[in-house]
Amino acid sequence: MPRKISYGVDYDDGYDYDEDYPDESYDYNYNNGVDEPESGWDSPEIKPEVKKEIIRQNVWRCPICTYDNEDYMSSCDICGVLRNPLIRSSNNGQSSTVAPDLNKPSTSNAPSNKAINNGNSKSIAKPSAMSSSAKPSSVSAPLNSKDKFQHVEENNHASVSETQTHSLSSEMTSLTMSVKSDNSKIPDKAKVPRSQFKPENWMLPDQTKDSLTQLNLAIVGHVDSGKSTLSGRLLHLLGQISQKQMHKYEKEAKAQGKGSFAYAWAMDESAEERERGVTMTVAVAYFKSNKYHVVVLDSPGHRDFVPNLISGATQADAAILVIDASIGAFEAGIEIGGGQTREHAQLIRSFGADQLIVCVNKMDAVQYSKERFDAIKLQLGTFLRSCNYRDSSVSWVPLSAMENQNLVGPASDSRLLSWYKGPSLLEAIDALQPPAREYSKPLLMPICDVLKLTSQGQVSVCGKLDAGALRNGSKVLVLPSGEIATVRSLERDSQPCTIARAGDSVAVSLQGIDATSVMSGGVLCHPDFPVAVSNHLELKILVLDVQIPIMIGSQLEFHIHHAKEAARVTKMVSLLDSKTGKVTKKSPRFLLAKQSAIVEVVLQDDVCVDEFSSSRGLGRVFLRSSGTTVAVGVVTRVIPSEQN
Ligand code: GTP
Ligand code: MG
């Protein structure tokens, strides 16, 4: 879940940290400081070492990041991985097969949930302040490992090569979808087509007013590429972090032997992030450029925290992909299978952010070499093209966040100046095209976070308006609970405001609703134009580099806007030609890497959803398994909920 850094609203207000998570229990065995820069380039595995064991009942250990979660949590509070990606069998008779976790080699021996539940406690972090998405889960029995093994073996012949690149977004953009929604939970009056919505005057932006357009900018890239340092440095240069505050960060970072992380500390606020030198959740901060009011979404690079990236940066308008130019570091990031440069670029493209600034960072570590920059541009450019980024939408900026070269003005280092004449990072941001906004559509705001001040009976939700507008006093329908609430107040950039429009990231304080009826992953919408709520969806997907095919019964983590659920593939409708989108085969038995198909999935619980053709934000999905994104796709049909 994203959190704002301290230059904004204090979302930690009212939160009690659990004292059961002693920091001294951990030795992360992870030195990433300047003292040993080379060792940090390879994606560090997080291997916490237990120094002190604390027996805790009623917890389950996340198999990905090893955090011990309270028993009622249905997904890991730290990395977002689902507790048990199993759902009950669907009723259509096709879902009885128990399928393997994708991406796990057949010999893998993933820890069962049973073992996790019995595990002794070893925590790595405190829960984030805004993680309110937890709800009691009713999980079914763990996967029978024998069945799983047999099933994997049966399909081993279908393992796929990892060596080719593939086109991702052409699939997403060339869709012709049958929009046949049957929203069983929605009252009849609600089935007015969204296109018939007539916006009121106040909803439309005042063209005569000279206000900056908001640009949500996701900062992504492989672990340790310098995303937080770059973000912190930019904020400091643009006056968002005072000199005094910066001195404080420098002093504290030095005292902890992490002097090189001083700028990253501006973004990585939690003790755990600072101690480990690893960003875990998306941090939100603001600055102004000449053209934009920029919302920075500094994302985690470590593969364990990709679910947080998906939830936090899913509504980015554009992205900065940070590359570590150091020898070996760029190569690790672009590696097939483990490199987050690859996965992040694919995810960002399928979020719909087609404008990209590639920051080739740490140029100081390669003596500002033009040859190194050109080699990175050549190799990465080929990959980005295969993800369907257009050359004209990608800009390349060599820089050094550490040495402040080429961030907000021309470089001062003669080695860089001698060959680079292009824009600085700030100029490249201003050169981005303004995002299109859906001001005239009915309100739609996916809820990213919920703040419950129980003492005062208040509930606030945070998120970006996907469509429409809100103002104080507006009535909103809160889904999936179906309760109506009234907007008590609005805050943008920590400042009260009276109106929020499509594209704005806001905190909305609600009244007239019980806090239990509001959850992250839910949606605020216009009472007369609700979106669907269902657990049964037809998807058009593009399979990424999977080692094990997707088939009926495959257990997956399903991510959509800020919601995630366990999902099971229940039907393989058709295989599609990846270029034309035409059906090439009905009812395929399995899907391999780079194949495109129509499938049906049933989720463990309902999600707020819409067909991609009517709402991009609510119609994009990501399917993950065993810590890796295995497919991206769009919702082509919402089917009445399956009874689980
Ligand atoms: P995650 O969020 O955990 O993926 O890391 P990150 O990409 O945010 O990297 P972070 O900013 O935490 O920096 C990682 C290390 O790279 C730190 O030691 C930084 O000092 C170092 N670093 C960042 N930018 C530069 C740079 O321009 N040059 C050099 N030499 N080191 C840098
Ligand atoms: Mg970081």
Side-chain angles (χ1 to χ4, degrees), residues 186-313:
I186 297 167
D188 277 351
K189 72 162 190 163
K191 293 186 179 171
V192 187
R194 288 171 68 78
S195 55
Q196 286 184 16
F197 176 73
K198 296 264 179 304
E200 295 170 40
N201 271 347
W202 65 269
M203 298 179 69
L204 305 173
D206 185 351
Q207 306 293 352
T208 58
K209 261 195 172 169
D210 192 20
S211 58
L212 293 175
T213 306
Q214 178 168 316
L215 183 79
N216 297 286
L217 196 55
I219 318 289
V220 299
H222 193 61
V223 67
D224 269 353
S225 52
K227 301 176 290 298
S228 303
T229 303
L230 180 66
S231 308
R233 189 90 198 209
L234 260 183
L235 291 174
H236 180 232
L237 290 168
L238 295 170
Q240 297 297 309
I241 302 175
S242 67
Q243 200 58 37
K244 193 172 156 207
Q245 186 66 41
M246 205 52 238
H247 275 312
K248 191 165 166 269
Y249 290 140
E250 277 165 9
K251 229 172 103 185
E252 288 170 359
K254 222 174 176 173
Q256 282 199 27
K258 297 256 180 212
S260 72
F261 283 85
Y263 287 103
W265 277 33
M267 312 304 294
D268 297 338
E269 279 198 316
S270 77
E272 294 72 22
E273 289 179 314
R274 289 177 174 187
E275 188 176 337
R276 293 167 63 170
V278 172
T279 304
M280 293 172 168
T281 55
V282 174
V284 185
Y286 310 97
F287 68 81
K288 286 193 170 86
S289 68
N290 282 337
K291 205 166 137 193
Y292 293 114
H293 174 85
V294 181
V295 178
V296 177
L297 303 162
D298 176 32
S299 310
H302 196 282
R303 69 194 300 268
D304 285 358
F305 306 112
V306 171
N308 289 348
L309 177 148
I310 293 177
S311 172

Side-chain angles (χ1 to χ4, degrees), residues 123-391:
S123 308
I124 61 166
K126 296 163 191 149
S128 77
M130 295 296 295
S131 303
S132 51
S133 57
K135 51 192 170 187
S137 66
S138 59
V139 287
S140 51
L143 192 65
N144 177 318
S145 59
K146 197 165 159 234
D147 289 353
K148 180 165 83 171
F149 186 76
Q150 283 170 352
H151 202 104
V152 173
E153 280 209 327
E154 265 173 41
N155 294 286
N156 258 357
H157 67 278
S159 289
V160 293
S161 151
E162 288 188 323
T163 52
Q164 296 159 11
T165 55
H166 56 272
S167 170
L168 165 67
S169 300
S170 55
E171 296 302 311
M172 314 277 292
T173 46
S174 64
L175 300 174
T176 46
M177 286 159 292
S178 63
V179 183
K180 244 191 304 147
S181 189
D182 188 352
N183 306 336
S184 53
K185 288 197 175 176
I186 297 167
D188 277 351
K189 72 162 190 163
K191 293 186 179 171
V192 187
R194 288 171 68 78
S195 55
Q196 286 184 16
F197 176 73
K198 296 264 179 304
E200 295 170 40
N201 271 347
W202 65 269
M203 298 179 69
L204 305 173
D206 185 351
Q207 306 293 352
T208 58
K209 261 195 172 169
D210 192 20
S211 58
L212 293 175
T213 306
Q214 178 168 316
L215 183 79
N216 297 286
L217 196 55
I219 318 289
V220 299
H222 193 61
V223 67
D224 269 353
S225 52
K227 301 176 290 298
S228 303
T229 303
L230 180 66
S231 308
R233 189 90 198 209
L234 260 183
L235 291 174
H236 180 232
L237 290 168
L238 295 170
Q240 297 297 309
I241 302 175
S242 67
Q243 200 58 37
K244 193 172 156 207
Q245 186 66 41
M246 205 52 238
H247 275 312
K248 191 165 166 269
Y249 290 140
E250 277 165 9
K251 229 172 103 185
E252 288 170 359
K254 222 174 176 173
Q256 282 199 27
K258 297 256 180 212
S260 72
F261 283 85
Y263 287 103
W265 277 33
M267 312 304 294
D268 297 338
E269 279 198 316
S270 77
E272 294 72 22
E273 289 179 314
R274 289 177 174 187
E275 188 176 337
R276 293 167 63 170
V278 172
T279 304
M280 293 172 168
T281 55
V282 174
V284 185
Y286 310 97
F287 68 81
K288 286 193 170 86
S289 68
N290 282 337
K291 205 166 137 193
Y292 293 114
H293 174 85
V294 181
V295 178
V296 177
L297 303 162
D298 176 32
S299 310
H302 196 282
R303 69 194 300 268
D304 285 358
F305 306 112
V306 171
N308 289 348
L309 177 148
I310 293 177
S311 172
T314 180
Q315 298 194 343
D317 299 312
I320 292 181
L321 177 63
V322 182
I323 303 297
D324 183 342
S326 323
I327 306 300
F330 163 68
E331 288 74 12
I334 197 78
E335 209 174 72
I336 294 173
Q340 248 48 59
T341 302
R342 229 167 229 279
E343 186 172 8
H344 287 195
Q346 287 169 330
L347 283 171
I348 282 291
R349 185 68 189 89
S350 48
F351 288 168
D354 58 352
Q355 299 185 78
L356 192 67
I357 301 173
V358 182
C359 286
V360 182
N361 188 30
K362 306 198 188 181
M363 286 299 290
D364 55 292
V366 291
Q367 289 72 51
Y368 297 97
S369 155
K370 180 178 188 308
E371 287 66 39
R372 178 68 174 160
F373 177 78
D374 288 344
I376 290 173
K377 189 171 172 184
L378 186 69
Q379 193 180 342
L380 184 59
T382 308
F383 172 70
L384 294 178
R385 250 169 260 129
S386 77
C387 295
N388 222 34
Y389 284 98
R390 276 171 291 130
D391 280 355

